[in-house]
Amino acid sequence: MKAIDMENVQTLLDQFANEPVYIHLETTNGAYAKHFDSNAHNVGAYIRNAEITYERGTIVESDGTYRVGLKTNGWIYAEGITDYEMNENDQLLMAGHDGEGRLMVALEISRTPFKM
Amino acid sequence: MVDFAKHEQVVIIYPHPDDESFGTSGTILNFRDAGVPVKYLCGTLGEMGRNMGTPFFANRETLPEIRKQELIDACNVLDMDLVMLGYRDKTLEFESKYEVAEDLKQRIEAADATLVITFYPPYAVHPDHNAMGAAAFEAVRQMDQDKRPEVWATAISNDREANLGEPDIVLDTESVFDRKLAAIKSHKSQAEGMLRKMQESSNFTGEYESALQRLRYETFYKVDVDQVDS
Ligand SMILES: [Zn+2]
């Protein structure tokens, strides 16, 4: 993956608009957050292979933080994206990593189901 | 002291590639050095892990294949047989415990296991650890009394000793620690972060020494599955 290039990501988001696509969306602070800090709270959510269609996908930046929103018949969004990649299976992978390279958030878009 | 040679077949049941190397590889190596075959039933490929390497080289979609290869490499270092069970990371606790237990029971019986090593629920922190341990306990519970293997369980929660007391087995892995560290380092995507942290700590005296200090002892509780709730 490489650091976000707004223009390039926007072009890629446009390419997946207005057709059925599969989504992977997740966020996590890890299964050990509370183990290492009793004041912490483990949180996470993930959805894999939800089939959706979005009419508009937009990447936005403010204060160095990137957000991606997909307008469907509802909304999908992810905050804290730092890196992206168009992989060999034509899947748009976007993820946010912390300073140690750990994944904190991911939003991925594909025309074919993600591998299970 | 543990008489490793008295066992005929060890079966390890953990959910993630690397669980075996961090917590139990010294024990596994002692069994292998005593000529006892060891089989690892690994629940998932750790597909949902957060660690992508430090600096990161994996992504959510490449991680499963990378961790699968790391697992194979670690099992080669440890000279143990590997079976990948094909469950999905972070979802084990939502599977039917009884279906998972039935699958494990058949595999334990087919292997003629005399010892099963798994996690001790609910003292294993990660939901997959607890779910895999609970299914393994249930698998042994479903077996005929006279065919049951011994069960050793790994507890890692901060409240483990308050609830369970001192562990029954404390194994010093120093004599095999070079190979234990090699097994851990096979899990490149997962181990790099820890190794980097070690190097940055103020009392760093070298990779081998620092790792030995942290990971030298492996501890287990001997479990009578009829006496535990989980
Ligand atoms: Zn684990």
Side-chain angles (χ1 to χ4, degrees):
Chain A
M1 301 184 101
K2 48 185 191 270
I4 291 292
D5 171 334
M6 290 262 291
E7 213 172 306
N8 202 352
V9 172
Q10 185 57 60
T11 305
L12 294 167
L13 286 170
D14 292 344
Q15 286 172 11
F16 288 96
N18 297 308
E19 62 176 309
V21 288
Y22 294 88
I23 296 290
H24 172 102
L25 175 65
E26 71 170 287
T27 182
T28 179
N29 65 348
Y32 297 94
K34 196 176 172 65
H35 181 63
F36 291 122
D37 174 5
S38 59
N39 294 318
H41 191 71
N42 287 3
V43 293
Y46 97 80
I47 180 167
R48 187 167 177 84
N49 283 332
E51 203 178 343
I52 61 126
T53 301
Y54 62 88
E55 62 183 77
R56 190 171 70 244
T58 309
I59 181 163
V60 172
E61 184 266 351
S62 60
D63 291 335
T65 298
Y66 294 101
R67 290 180 291 276
V68 173
L70 308 177
K71 184 169 187 165
T72 63
N73 53 353
W75 281 99
I76 291 169
Y77 101 111
E79 175 162 27
I81 301 290
T82 55
D83 301 275
Y84 81 108
E85 172 181 323
M86 193 71 181
N87 75 8
E88 69 278 11
N89 298 321
D90 286 328
Q91 299 170 325
L92 174 56
L93 314 183
M94 295 169 281
H97 299 95
D98 68 13
E100 289 162 47
R102 289 177 303 202
L103 186 144
M104 300 181 292
V105 61
L107 173 58
E108 305 177 347
I109 305 170
S110 172
R111 291 186 182 90
T112 53
F114 290 99
K115 197 170 168 222
M116 287 303 297
Chain B
M1 277 313 297
V2 180
D3 180 5
F4 294 99
K6 87 165 191 176
H7 279 286
E8 283 155 36
Q9 172 73 55
V10 179
V11 169
I12 312 282
I13 304 176
Y14 290 140
H16 306 129
D18 81 3
D19 290 336
E20 81 299 332
S21 289
F22 280 104
T24 310
S25 54
T27 304
I28 292 164
L29 287 161
N30 273 284
F31 277 114
R32 293 301 298 121
D33 288 353
V36 181
V38 180
K39 178 175 279 192
Y40 184 19
L41 308 182
C42 186
T44 79
L45 293 177
E47 295 94 339
M48 292 298 289
R50 273 199 313 160
N51 290 302
M52 297 289 172
T54 315
F56 69 93
F57 57 85
N59 64 52
R60 179 54 75 237
E61 302 308 316
T62 59
L63 191 65
E65 280 302 314
I66 288 169
R67 292 196 73 175
K68 185 177 179 178
Q69 190 57 52
E70 291 173 347
L71 175 63
I72 291 167
D73 294 345
C75 288
N76 284 335
V77 171
L78 299 174
D79 191 26
M80 74 171 163
D81 298 327
L82 170 64
V83 179
M84 290 174 271
L85 298 178
Y87 296 104
R88 191 167 167 94
D89 194 19
K90 295 251 190 142
T91 66
L92 256 172
E93 63 181 331
F94 306 116
E95 296 280 358
S96 156
K97 179 171 97 171
Y98 297 97
E99 283 174 23
V100 178
E102 180 58 32
D103 180 38
L104 294 178
K105 173 174 167 267
Q106 287 177 16
R107 294 174 190 275
I108 293 165
E109 287 179 339
D112 284 322
T114 57
L115 172 64
V116 164
I117 301 178
T118 189
F119 278 116
Y120 201 143
Y123 306 108
V125 181
H126 193 298
D128 287 332
H129 295 173
N130 286 326
M132 193 93 251
F137 282 12
E138 183 61 28
V140 174
R141 205 175 281 126
Q142 297 290 332
M143 293 173 70
D144 296 336
Q145 291 276 0
D146 59 327
K147 289 190 187 138
R148 289 182 184 178
E150 212 173 290
V151 176
W152 296 2
T154 314
I156 55 178
S157 66
N158 296 322
D159 66 353
R160 63 188 184 276
E161 293 208 357
N163 287 285
L164 300 171
E166 300 267 314
D168 299 304
I169 297 159
V170 178
L171 186 84
D172 184 349
T173 67
E174 191 185 11
S175 64
V176 295
F177 199 80
D178 52 341
R179 284 180 286 158
K180 173 168 176 162
L181 187 56
I184 289 169
K185 289 175 78 170
S186 302
H187 296 284
K188 191 171 184 296
S189 65
Q190 306 304 301
E192 276 182 344
M194 183 204 75
L195 295 171
R196 160 103 43 120
K197 266 211 187 87
M198 252 169 32
Q199 281 172 18
E200 288 166 354
S201 79
S202 55
N203 55 1
F204 183 71
T205 50
E207 184 177 85
Y208 178 91
E209 292 73 16
S210 296
L212 181 67
Q213 203 179 3
R214 287 169 183 233
L215 300 164
R216 176 171 181 169
Y217 295 97
E218 296 178 358
T219 62
F220 304 95
Y221 293 86
K222 288 191 183 182
V223 175
D224 175 349
V225 293
D226 289 330
Q227 302 300 316
V228 291
D229 294 330
S230 44

